[in-house]
């Protein structure tokens, strides 16, 4: 069965370190998204991609970057982790714009 | 982007029908209305999507009036397992950047 996975599921890192969160989908979807979820803020879009080599900034993109070298993967990199980036991160994918998004299980990141 | 407004929280007893209304006054002609459900420690899950009038699936119904400035998600005979956060989204086919907002936290009481 097709699926979307995230790794690691839990990560503790120190301030200033570079961190990369992986997202892999086997739906063969064109669109992929990264969100962060914090209490009181719901889900906020970080970056999104419409296809290979395409990336776009979302509403909270500062301090994050993504690259899309193939259809299946959209890794999220925190260039220099900050305590404000402690959050739960969700990756999602969809076939087209109006289609439902399929979400991964999430990665809980703690920056100390 | 069309902004959505929905209640922050709702309580309901088991077995009752629950209606969650979402307002989206600035909805565009080509926007769809989509609802997601999220359980604790999980990613959101698609429930239902509609454009106008009424849509029904095995989980819920979605009612959309003619002016499309609001929509109502209806959950028939809720159970404890329906306790979750429900998000209303508005998005168009060619514009994929959607806003989830805070959602409505539904608590089902025994």
């Amino acid at each position: 069965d097709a699926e979307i996975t995230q790794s690691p599921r839990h990560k503790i890192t120190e301030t200033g370190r570079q961190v990369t969160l992986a997202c892999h989908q086997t739906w063969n979807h064109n669109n992929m998204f990264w969100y962060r979820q914090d209490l009181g803020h719901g889900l906020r879009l970080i970056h999104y991609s419409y296809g290979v080599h395409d990336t776009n900034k979302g509403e909270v993109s500062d301090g994050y970057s993504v690259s899309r070298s193939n259809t299946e993967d959209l890794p999220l990199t925190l260039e220099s982790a900050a305590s404000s980036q402690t959050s739960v991160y969700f990756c999602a994918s969809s076939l087209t714009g109006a289609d439902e998004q399929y979400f991964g299980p999430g990665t809980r990141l703690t920056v100390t | 982007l069309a902004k959505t407004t929905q209640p922050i929280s709702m309580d309901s007893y088991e077995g009752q029908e629950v209606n969650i209304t979402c307002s989206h006054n600035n909805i565009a002609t080509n926007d769809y209305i989509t609802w997601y459900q999220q359980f604790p420690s999980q990613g959101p899950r698609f429930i239902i999507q509609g454009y106008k009038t009424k849509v029904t699936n095995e989980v819920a119904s979605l009612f959309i009036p003619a002016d499309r400035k609001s929509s109502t998600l209806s959950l028939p005979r809720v159970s404890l397992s329906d306790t979750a956060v429900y998000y209303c989204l508005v998005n168009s086919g060619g514009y994929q950047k959607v806003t989830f907002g805070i959602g409505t936290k539904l608590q089902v009481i025994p």
Side-chain angles (χ1 to χ4, degrees):
Chain A
D1 288 347
E3 61 177 355
I4 180 166
T5 57
Q6 295 183 233
S7 62
R9 296 294 312 280
H10 302 272
K11 174 79 175 178
I12 301 174
T13 191
E14 295 177 344
T15 301
R17 288 190 180 270
Q18 184 182 76
V19 176
T20 296
L21 309 183
C23 175
H24 179 79
Q25 53 98 2
T26 58
W27 294 98
N28 199 34
H29 283 164
N30 295 323
N31 310 318
M32 296 185 73
F33 311 84
W34 273 104
Y35 296 88
R36 61 177 289 175
Q37 186 168 40
D38 307 286
L39 277 174
H41 288 281
L43 283 148
R44 292 182 291 176
L45 184 63
I46 304 172
H47 281 286
Y48 58 104
S49 169
Y50 293 150
V52 177
H53 302 311
D54 176 79
T55 61
N56 305 279
K57 294 182 178 181
E59 61 179 304
V60 290
S61 60
D62 287 349
Y64 303 95
S65 63
V66 294
S67 62
R68 187 92 180 268
S69 59
N70 58 51
T71 301
E72 297 80 18
D73 300 289
L74 186 70
L76 177 71
T77 297
L78 286 68
E79 304 294 345
S80 176
S83 57
S84 60
Q85 294 176 309
T86 292
S87 185
V88 179
Y89 291 86
F90 288 102
C91 177
S93 71
S94 69
L95 182 60
T96 66
D99 286 338
E100 63 183 282
Q101 292 186 27
Y102 292 80
F103 281 80
T107 294
R108 183 174 295 275
L109 176 68
T110 302
V111 182
T112 62
Chain B
L1 290 173
K3 182 179 177 180
T4 60
T5 303
Q6 52 185 123
I8 293 175
S9 64
M10 294 180 68
D11 292 337
S12 176
Y13 288 102
E14 269 192 300
Q16 290 190 329
E17 178 184 74
V18 171
N19 296 309
I20 306 174
T21 297
C22 177
S23 66
H24 25 79
N25 292 320
N26 297 322
I27 190 168
T29 303
N30 57 348
D31 282 339
Y32 288 82
I33 299 155
T34 310
W35 286 80
Y36 286 80
Q37 174 191 57
Q38 185 180 24
F39 297 113
S41 302
Q42 294 184 25
R45 183 180 71 169
F46 172 87
I47 301 176
I48 197 166
Q49 183 181 73
Y51 184 80
K52 62 180 179 180
T53 63
K54 177 183 175 182
V55 179
T56 297
N57 61 23
E58 65 277 7
V59 176
S61 294
L62 178 60
F63 298 92
I64 305 168
D67 66 6
R68 304 201 326 122
K69 292 184 183 298
S70 66
S71 59
T72 298
L73 174 73
S74 181
L75 305 172
R77 296 185 299 280
V78 294
S79 64
L80 296 176
S81 63
D82 292 315
T83 293
V85 177
Y86 293 83
Y87 298 94
C88 165
L89 285 76
V90 173
N91 61 295
S92 67
Y95 192 62
Q96 300 160 37
K97 194 168 68 174
V98 300
T99 300
F100 272 78
I102 298 175
T104 297
K105 186 173 184 179
L106 173 65
Q107 180 69 51
V108 179
I109 306 165

